[in-house]
Amino acid sequence: MAIPTSRTKDKAEIRINYEKCTVCGSCVNVCKDFSLKIVNQKVVVSDTPCFGCIACGHCMAVCPSDAIEIHGRMLSPDNMFVLPDIEKSTDYDELLALLQCRRSIREFKDKPVSEELINKILEAAKTAPMGLPPSDVNVLVLDSKEKVQGFATDYCNFLKRMKWLVSDWFIALMRPFWGKPMDEMFKGFVRPLFDIYLGNMDKGINLVNYDAPLAMYFYGSPYTDPADPIVAATYAMIAAESLGLGTCMLGGVHPLIQSGKKAKKFREQQGIKFASREGLFVIFGYSNVKYLKGIHRNFASVEAIPIHSV
Ligand SMILES: Cc1cc2nc3c(=O)[nH]c(=O)nc-3n(C[C@H](O)[C@H](O)[C@H](O)COP(=O)(O)O)c2cc1C
Ligand code: SF4
Ligand code: SF4
Protein backbone atom coordinates (compact mmCIF):
# COMPACT_ATOMS: atom_id res chain seq x y z
CA MET A 1 0.00 0.00 0.00
CA ALA A 2 1.19 3.51 -0.81
CA ILE A 3 0.31 6.68 1.09
CA PRO A 4 -3.48 6.54 1.56
CA THR A 5 -5.93 9.32 0.72
CA SER A 6 -9.72 9.22 0.42
CA ARG A 7 -9.29 9.02 -3.37
CA THR A 8 -6.61 6.37 -3.78
CA LYS A 9 -4.46 4.08 -1.71
CA ASP A 10 -2.22 2.86 -4.53
CA LYS A 11 1.13 4.08 -5.67
CA ALA A 12 1.37 5.35 -9.23
CA GLU A 13 2.98 3.48 -12.10
CA ILE A 14 6.12 4.93 -13.68
CA ARG A 15 6.74 4.31 -17.38
CA ILE A 16 9.97 5.29 -19.11
CA ASN A 17 10.30 5.43 -22.88
CA TYR A 18 13.94 4.46 -23.48
CA GLU A 19 13.79 5.50 -27.12
CA LYS A 20 13.17 9.08 -26.00
CA CYS A 21 15.19 9.18 -22.75
CA THR A 22 18.56 10.96 -23.01
CA VAL A 23 19.53 10.04 -19.43
CA CYS A 24 19.84 13.72 -18.53
CA GLY A 25 19.04 12.83 -14.91
CA SER A 26 16.55 15.68 -14.32
CA CYS A 27 13.75 13.37 -13.25
CA VAL A 28 16.03 11.51 -10.85
CA ASN A 29 17.12 14.82 -9.35
CA VAL A 30 13.59 16.13 -8.63
CA CYS A 31 12.07 12.90 -7.34
CA LYS A 32 12.17 13.23 -3.57
CA ASP A 33 10.45 9.87 -3.20
CA PHE A 34 13.67 8.46 -4.70
CA SER A 35 11.53 6.35 -7.00
CA LEU A 36 14.04 6.81 -9.82
CA LYS A 37 17.73 6.08 -10.14
CA ILE A 38 20.32 5.73 -12.87
CA VAL A 39 21.89 2.30 -13.19
CA ASN A 40 24.37 1.52 -15.97
CA GLN A 41 23.49 4.71 -17.85
CA LYS A 42 19.78 3.90 -17.73
CA VAL A 43 16.96 5.48 -15.69
CA VAL A 44 15.20 2.75 -13.75
CA VAL A 45 12.46 2.56 -11.14
CA SER A 46 14.01 2.08 -7.72
CA ASP A 47 12.90 -0.85 -5.59
CA THR A 48 13.72 1.16 -2.45
CA PRO A 49 11.66 4.38 -2.76
CA CYS A 50 10.55 6.30 0.33
CA PHE A 51 6.84 5.57 -0.09
CA GLY A 52 6.34 4.53 -3.70
CA CYS A 53 5.45 7.03 -6.44
CA ILE A 54 3.05 9.64 -5.00
CA ALA A 55 2.29 11.07 -8.47
CA CYS A 56 3.62 14.52 -7.72
CA GLY A 57 4.28 14.77 -11.46
CA HIS A 58 7.57 16.63 -11.08
CA CYS A 59 9.46 14.13 -13.24
CA MET A 60 7.03 14.63 -16.14
CA ALA A 61 7.20 18.39 -15.61
CA VAL A 62 11.00 18.54 -15.95
CA CYS A 63 11.60 15.92 -18.63
CA PRO A 64 12.78 17.69 -21.80
CA SER A 65 12.00 14.64 -23.96
CA ASP A 66 8.53 13.58 -22.78
CA ALA A 67 10.19 10.29 -21.95
CA ILE A 68 8.59 9.60 -18.58
CA GLU A 69 4.94 8.98 -17.84
CA ILE A 70 3.12 8.62 -14.53
CA HIS A 71 -0.16 6.74 -14.44
CA GLY A 72 -2.25 6.49 -11.30
CA ARG A 73 -3.16 8.43 -8.18
CA MET A 74 -5.37 10.63 -10.41
CA LEU A 75 -2.43 11.66 -12.62
CA SER A 76 -1.52 10.88 -16.24
CA PRO A 77 0.31 12.70 -19.06
CA ASP A 78 -3.08 14.20 -20.01
CA ASN A 79 -2.83 16.41 -16.94
CA MET A 80 0.29 18.16 -18.19
CA PHE A 81 0.05 21.53 -19.93
CA VAL A 82 2.42 24.05 -21.47
CA LEU A 83 3.35 26.70 -18.91
CA PRO A 84 1.97 30.21 -19.42
CA ASP A 85 4.44 33.00 -20.09
CA ILE A 86 5.79 33.92 -16.62
CA GLU A 87 6.83 37.37 -17.93
CA LYS A 88 3.15 38.19 -18.41
CA SER A 89 2.12 37.16 -14.90
CA THR A 90 1.69 39.42 -11.87
CA ASP A 91 4.77 40.99 -10.35
CA TYR A 92 5.30 41.53 -6.63
CA ASP A 93 4.04 45.13 -6.54
CA GLU A 94 0.81 44.19 -8.30
CA LEU A 95 0.27 41.22 -6.02
CA LEU A 96 1.03 43.27 -2.90
CA ALA A 97 -1.46 45.95 -4.03
CA LEU A 98 -4.14 43.28 -4.46
CA LEU A 99 -3.40 41.86 -1.01
CA GLN A 100 -3.27 45.27 0.65
CA CYS A 101 -6.61 46.31 -0.82
CA ARG A 102 -8.35 43.17 0.45
CA ARG A 103 -10.67 43.53 3.42
CA SER A 104 -13.06 41.00 4.85
CA ILE A 105 -16.34 41.87 3.15
CA ARG A 106 -19.62 41.25 4.94
CA GLU A 107 -21.89 43.60 2.99
CA PHE A 108 -22.72 42.45 -0.51
CA LYS A 109 -24.61 43.90 -3.46
CA ASP A 110 -27.65 41.88 -4.44
CA LYS A 111 -25.87 40.57 -7.53
CA PRO A 112 -25.08 36.93 -8.28
CA VAL A 113 -21.59 35.67 -9.05
CA SER A 114 -21.55 34.16 -12.52
CA GLU A 115 -20.74 30.54 -13.20
CA GLU A 116 -17.76 31.74 -15.25
CA LEU A 117 -16.25 33.48 -12.20
CA ILE A 118 -17.01 30.51 -9.95
CA ASN A 119 -15.12 28.27 -12.36
CA LYS A 120 -12.22 30.71 -12.49
CA ILE A 121 -11.99 30.77 -8.69
CA LEU A 122 -11.97 26.97 -8.56
CA GLU A 123 -9.45 26.73 -11.40
CA ALA A 124 -7.03 28.94 -9.46
CA ALA A 125 -7.71 27.25 -6.11
CA LYS A 126 -6.91 23.86 -7.64
CA THR A 127 -3.31 24.99 -8.13
CA ALA A 128 -2.83 25.17 -4.33
CA PRO A 129 -0.09 22.98 -2.90
CA MET A 130 -1.20 20.00 -0.81
CA GLY A 131 0.40 17.80 1.80
CA LEU A 132 0.49 14.91 -0.62
CA PRO A 133 -1.07 14.46 -4.02
CA PRO A 134 -3.71 13.82 -5.13
CA SER A 135 -5.51 16.67 -3.40
CA ASP A 136 -7.81 15.41 -0.68
CA VAL A 137 -9.69 18.71 -0.48
CA ASN A 138 -13.45 18.74 -1.07
CA VAL A 139 -15.35 21.87 -1.99
CA LEU A 140 -19.03 22.44 -1.33
CA VAL A 141 -20.24 25.27 -3.56
CA LEU A 142 -23.32 27.27 -2.57
CA ASP A 143 -23.80 29.24 -5.78
CA SER A 144 -26.73 31.52 -4.95
CA LYS A 145 -27.86 33.79 -2.15
CA GLU A 146 -30.81 31.47 -1.53
CA LYS A 147 -28.53 28.46 -1.02
CA VAL A 148 -26.21 30.47 1.24
CA GLN A 149 -29.17 31.67 3.31
CA GLY A 150 -30.61 28.15 3.41
CA PHE A 151 -27.34 26.82 4.78
CA ALA A 152 -27.25 29.52 7.48
CA THR A 153 -30.84 28.77 8.52
CA ASP A 154 -30.16 25.03 8.72
CA TYR A 155 -26.95 25.71 10.65
CA CYS A 156 -28.76 27.85 13.22
CA ASN A 157 -31.40 25.14 13.66
CA PHE A 158 -28.55 22.68 14.18
CA LEU A 159 -26.91 24.99 16.75
CA LYS A 160 -30.19 25.19 18.67
CA ARG A 161 -29.95 21.43 19.16
CA MET A 162 -26.28 21.73 20.21
CA LYS A 163 -26.67 24.35 22.96
CA TRP A 164 -25.48 21.90 25.61
CA LEU A 165 -22.01 22.33 24.07
CA VAL A 166 -21.79 25.83 25.57
CA SER A 167 -23.60 25.06 28.83
CA ASP A 168 -21.88 25.73 32.17
CA TRP A 169 -21.82 22.05 33.10
CA PHE A 170 -20.20 20.92 29.84
CA ILE A 171 -17.54 23.63 29.85
CA ALA A 172 -16.72 22.85 33.51
CA LEU A 173 -16.57 19.12 32.69
CA MET A 174 -14.16 19.65 29.81
CA ARG A 175 -11.88 22.17 31.57
CA PRO A 176 -9.36 19.57 32.88
CA PHE A 177 -9.18 17.84 29.47
CA TRP A 178 -8.91 20.73 27.05
CA GLY A 179 -7.04 23.27 29.24
CA LYS A 180 -7.21 26.97 29.97
CA PRO A 181 -6.98 28.49 26.46
CA MET A 182 -9.89 26.36 25.21
CA ASP A 183 -11.87 27.09 28.40
CA GLU A 184 -11.36 30.79 27.78
CA MET A 185 -12.25 30.42 24.08
CA PHE A 186 -15.51 28.65 24.89
CA LYS A 187 -16.53 31.17 27.52
CA GLY A 188 -15.33 34.27 25.68
CA PHE A 189 -16.04 33.35 22.06
CA VAL A 190 -17.97 30.15 21.32
CA ARG A 191 -20.81 30.67 23.82
CA PRO A 192 -21.40 34.31 22.82
CA LEU A 193 -21.15 33.24 19.16
CA PHE A 194 -24.07 30.82 19.62
CA ASP A 195 -26.16 33.67 21.05
CA ILE A 196 -25.08 36.11 18.35
CA TYR A 197 -25.85 33.71 15.49
CA LEU A 198 -29.15 32.49 16.92
CA GLY A 199 -30.41 35.78 18.35
CA ASN A 200 -29.78 37.62 15.10
CA MET A 201 -31.16 34.87 12.90
CA ASP A 202 -34.40 35.06 14.93
CA LYS A 203 -34.53 38.73 13.94
CA GLY A 204 -33.87 37.88 10.28
CA ILE A 205 -30.22 38.99 10.38
CA ASN A 206 -27.80 36.40 9.02
CA LEU A 207 -24.42 36.76 10.71
CA VAL A 208 -23.40 33.19 9.82
CA ASN A 209 -22.61 33.90 6.18
CA TYR A 210 -24.05 37.39 5.64
CA ASP A 211 -26.45 36.50 2.78
CA ALA A 212 -23.52 36.38 0.36
CA PRO A 213 -24.35 35.39 -3.22
CA LEU A 214 -21.67 32.69 -3.18
CA ALA A 215 -20.03 30.52 -0.53
CA MET A 216 -17.53 27.70 -0.76
CA TYR A 217 -16.70 25.29 2.01
CA PHE A 218 -13.23 23.79 1.74
CA TYR A 219 -12.82 20.66 3.84
CA GLY A 220 -10.81 17.47 3.91
CA SER A 221 -11.27 13.82 4.69
CA PRO A 222 -9.97 11.75 7.59
CA TYR A 223 -6.74 11.41 5.56
CA THR A 224 -6.21 15.04 4.57
CA ASP A 225 -3.39 17.15 5.92
CA PRO A 226 -5.33 19.68 8.02
CA ALA A 227 -3.62 22.59 6.29
CA ASP A 228 -4.76 21.59 2.79
CA PRO A 229 -8.33 22.98 2.85
CA ILE A 230 -7.04 26.21 4.41
CA VAL A 231 -4.39 26.68 1.74
CA ALA A 232 -6.95 25.99 -1.02
CA ALA A 233 -9.42 28.42 0.55
CA THR A 234 -6.73 31.08 0.66
CA TYR A 235 -5.96 30.58 -3.02
CA ALA A 236 -9.68 30.85 -3.81
CA MET A 237 -9.91 34.06 -1.82
CA ILE A 238 -6.98 35.68 -3.61
CA ALA A 239 -8.26 34.53 -7.01
CA ALA A 240 -11.67 36.02 -6.27
CA GLU A 241 -10.08 39.31 -5.23
CA SER A 242 -8.24 39.42 -8.56
CA LEU A 243 -11.64 39.04 -10.27
CA GLY A 244 -13.05 42.08 -8.48
CA LEU A 245 -14.99 40.18 -5.83
CA GLY A 246 -15.07 40.86 -2.12
CA THR A 247 -14.43 37.88 0.16
CA CYS A 248 -14.50 36.82 3.78
CA MET A 249 -13.31 33.65 5.48
CA LEU A 250 -15.70 32.14 8.01
CA GLY A 251 -14.37 30.00 10.81
CA GLY A 252 -17.61 29.74 12.77
CA VAL A 253 -19.05 26.67 11.10
CA HIS A 254 -16.43 23.98 10.52
CA PRO A 255 -15.38 23.16 14.12
CA LEU A 256 -18.96 22.77 15.29
CA ILE A 257 -20.08 20.31 12.61
CA GLN A 258 -17.39 17.69 13.18
CA SER A 259 -18.32 15.58 16.20
CA GLY A 260 -21.38 13.59 17.17
CA LYS A 261 -24.45 12.11 15.54
CA LYS A 262 -26.27 15.41 15.06
CA ALA A 263 -23.26 16.89 13.30
CA LYS A 264 -23.01 13.82 11.06
CA LYS A 265 -26.67 14.17 10.13
CA PHE A 266 -26.21 17.87 9.42
CA ARG A 267 -23.22 17.17 7.20
CA GLU A 268 -25.13 14.52 5.30
CA GLN A 269 -28.10 16.85 4.80
CA GLN A 270 -25.80 19.52 3.37
CA GLY A 271 -23.91 17.16 1.07
CA ILE A 272 -20.68 17.37 3.08
CA LYS A 273 -18.90 14.07 2.52
CA PHE A 274 -16.51 13.86 5.45
CA ALA A 275 -15.66 15.06 8.91
CA SER A 276 -12.16 16.54 8.77
CA ARG A 277 -9.65 18.08 11.10
CA GLU A 278 -9.71 21.48 9.39
CA GLY A 279 -12.04 23.24 7.01
CA LEU A 280 -12.99 26.77 6.11
CA PHE A 281 -15.87 28.61 4.51
CA VAL A 282 -15.20 31.53 2.20
CA ILE A 283 -17.97 33.85 1.07
CA PHE A 284 -17.76 35.86 -2.14
CA GLY A 285 -19.70 38.67 -3.75
CA TYR A 286 -19.63 42.24 -5.00
CA SER A 287 -18.74 44.51 -2.10
CA ASN A 288 -21.18 47.11 -0.92
CA VAL A 289 -18.49 48.85 1.11
CA LYS A 290 -15.64 50.96 -0.22
CA TYR A 291 -12.62 51.04 2.07
CA LEU A 292 -10.54 54.20 1.78
CA LYS A 293 -7.50 53.12 3.78
CA GLY A 294 -5.44 49.98 4.26
CA ILE A 295 -4.51 48.57 7.65
CA HIS A 296 -0.94 47.70 8.60
CA ARG A 297 -0.88 44.38 10.47
CA ASN A 298 1.89 42.41 12.17
CA PHE A 299 2.52 38.80 13.05
CA ALA A 300 2.59 37.83 16.73
CA SER A 301 6.30 37.30 16.30
CA VAL A 302 8.91 37.12 13.58
CA GLU A 303 12.30 36.12 14.86
CA ALA A 304 15.41 35.04 13.06
CA ILE A 305 16.99 32.09 14.81
CA PRO A 306 20.70 32.50 15.60
CA ILE A 307 23.18 30.48 13.57
CA HIS A 308 23.72 27.13 15.25
CA SER A 309 27.30 26.38 16.16
CA VAL A 310 28.28 22.75 15.79
C1 LIG B 1 -9.68 31.51 9.73
C2 LIG B 1 -10.56 32.71 9.70
C3 LIG B 1 -11.84 32.64 10.20
C4 LIG B 1 -12.68 33.76 10.15
N1 LIG B 1 -13.97 33.65 10.59
C5 LIG B 1 -14.82 34.70 10.46
C6 LIG B 1 -16.21 34.57 10.78
O1 LIG B 1 -16.68 33.49 11.15
N2 LIG B 1 -17.00 35.64 10.63
C7 LIG B 1 -16.52 36.84 10.20
O2 LIG B 1 -17.30 37.78 10.10
N3 LIG B 1 -15.21 37.01 9.88
C8 LIG B 1 -14.36 35.96 9.98
N4 LIG B 1 -13.04 36.09 9.61
C9 LIG B 1 -12.55 37.36 9.12
C10 LIG B 1 -11.71 38.05 10.18
O3 LIG B 1 -12.53 38.54 11.20
C11 LIG B 1 -10.92 39.17 9.51
O4 LIG B 1 -9.97 38.60 8.66
C12 LIG B 1 -10.22 40.04 10.53
O5 LIG B 1 -11.17 40.74 11.29
C13 LIG B 1 -9.29 41.04 9.86
O6 LIG B 1 -9.96 41.83 8.91
P1 LIG B 1 -9.43 41.86 7.41
O7 LIG B 1 -9.59 40.48 6.84
O8 LIG B 1 -10.29 42.85 6.73
O9 LIG B 1 -7.99 42.25 7.47
C14 LIG B 1 -12.20 34.98 9.64
C15 LIG B 1 -10.89 35.04 9.13
C16 LIG B 1 -10.08 33.92 9.16
C17 LIG B 1 -8.70 34.00 8.59
S1 SF4 C 1 5.66 11.46 -9.97
FE1 SF4 C 1 6.88 12.30 -8.32
S2 SF4 C 1 7.17 10.58 -6.92
FE2 SF4 C 1 6.54 9.70 -8.87
S3 SF4 C 1 8.45 9.26 -9.92
FE3 SF4 C 1 7.79 11.27 -10.60
S4 SF4 C 1 8.87 12.70 -9.24
FE4 SF4 C 1 8.94 10.65 -8.29
S1 SF4 D 1 14.16 13.67 -17.37
FE1 SF4 D 1 13.42 12.48 -19.14
S2 SF4 D 1 15.17 12.39 -20.50
FE2 SF4 D 1 15.96 13.00 -18.52
S3 SF4 D 1 16.54 11.10 -17.52
FE3 SF4 D 1 14.46 11.49 -16.92
S4 SF4 D 1 13.17 10.40 -18.40
FE4 SF4 D 1 15.22 10.53 -19.26
Side-chain angles (χ1 to χ4, degrees):
M1 192 168 88
I3 297 174
T5 72
S6 76
R7 302 172 78 188
T8 175
K9 295 178 175 39
D10 298 324
K11 62 181 181 179
E13 185 197 339
I14 305 164
R15 296 181 200 161
I16 298 155
N17 183 331
Y18 290 109
E19 285 177 9
K20 290 182 176 177
C21 178
T22 58
V23 202
C24 69
S26 296
C27 58
V28 179
N29 186 40
V30 291
C31 181
K32 294 302 173 261
D33 181 59
F34 303 104
S35 277
L36 300 164
K37 60 183 179 179
I38 296 177
V39 178
N40 296 331
Q41 278 306 296
K42 202 176 167 187
V43 178
V44 295
V45 178
S46 168
D47 50 12
T48 54
C50 291
F51 302 104
C53 177
I54 58 168
C56 69
H58 283 217
C59 52
M60 285 197 286
V62 294
C63 180
S65 320
D66 285 339
I68 187 162
E69 291 190 358
I70 302 299
H71 294 264
R73 289 182 78 85
M74 309 293 157
L75 187 72
S76 80
D78 292 344
N79 296 110
M80 308 308 284
F81 63 90
V82 177
L83 287 173
D85 185 356
I86 191 77
E87 298 298 327
K88 289 189 186 144
S89 69
T90 313
D91 67 18
Y92 177 79
D93 289 339
E94 288 168 346
L95 179 62
L96 185 64
L98 183 80
L99 299 176
Q100 285 180 326
C101 289
R102 183 204 63 78
R103 287 272 67 76
S104 288
I105 300 302
R106 304 174 179 94
E107 301 284 335
F108 296 99
K109 293 196 172 102
D110 194 7
K111 179 179 171 186
V113 178
S114 69
E115 194 182 334
E116 187 193 350
L117 290 200
I118 294 173
N119 289 336
K120 283 187 169 179
I121 293 167
L122 289 169
E123 190 61 22
K126 278 188 252 174
T127 68
M130 67 220 73
L132 283 163
S135 170
D136 217 347
V137 173
N138 298 280
V139 190
L140 180 78
V141 180
L142 304 171
D143 58 2
S144 70
K145 184 169 135 182
E146 291 69 32
K147 289 182 193 174
V148 171
Q149 284 172 329
F151 184 94
T153 306
D154 291 351
Y155 182 58
C156 284
N157 288 333
F158 163 74
L159 287 187
K160 279 181 191 159
R161 297 193 294 276
M162 296 295 289
K163 270 194 147 178
W164 56 268
L165 199 66
V166 289
S167 62
D168 284 341
W169 68 265
F170 183 73
I171 295 175
L173 182 78
M174 295 307 288
R175 171 75 173 84
F177 301 103
W178 65 25
K180 190 171 173 232
M182 195 64 127
D183 186 66
E184 288 175 347
M185 275 304 276
F186 260 70
K187 286 178 183 156
F189 179 59
V190 183
R191 179 155 50 196
L193 192 67
F194 266 63
D195 293 337
I196 289 163
Y197 281 165
L198 297 179
N200 279 286
M201 193 55 102
D202 283 346
K203 289 185 252 165
I205 302 165
N206 171 9
L207 295 187
V208 175
N209 51 30
Y210 304 102
D211 295 340
L214 172 66
M216 294 187 194
Y217 173 41
F218 296 82
Y219 64 100
S221 81
Y223 295 98
T224 312
D225 187 306
D228 285 4
I230 313 302
V231 179
T234 307
Y235 269 50
M237 174 184 241
I238 295 168
E241 294 283 333
S242 80
L243 294 165
L245 294 170
T247 62
C248 185
M249 290 179 162
L250 303 177
V253 178
H254 172 85
L256 294 168
I257 61 169
Q258 299 312 307
S259 313
K261 280 186 190 159
K262 288 192 183 80
K264 185 167 187 277
K265 196 170 167 206
F266 176 80
R267 289 197 308 271
E268 284 167 0
Q269 280 167 347
Q270 304 299 326
I272 298 165
K273 294 181 191 167
F274 300 104
S276 60
R277 276 181 288 172
E278 280 295 352
L280 198 57
F281 264 86
V282 187
I283 51 173
F284 309 84
Y286 295 92
S287 176
N288 225 352
V289 181
K290 185 166 172 51
Y291 288 91
L292 303 176
K293 291 204 171 79
I295 306 168
H296 279 302
R297 296 202 195 280
N298 295 305
F299 286 125
S301 73
V302 179
E303 282 165 35
I305 57 165
I307 296 168
H308 286 283
S309 53
V310 193

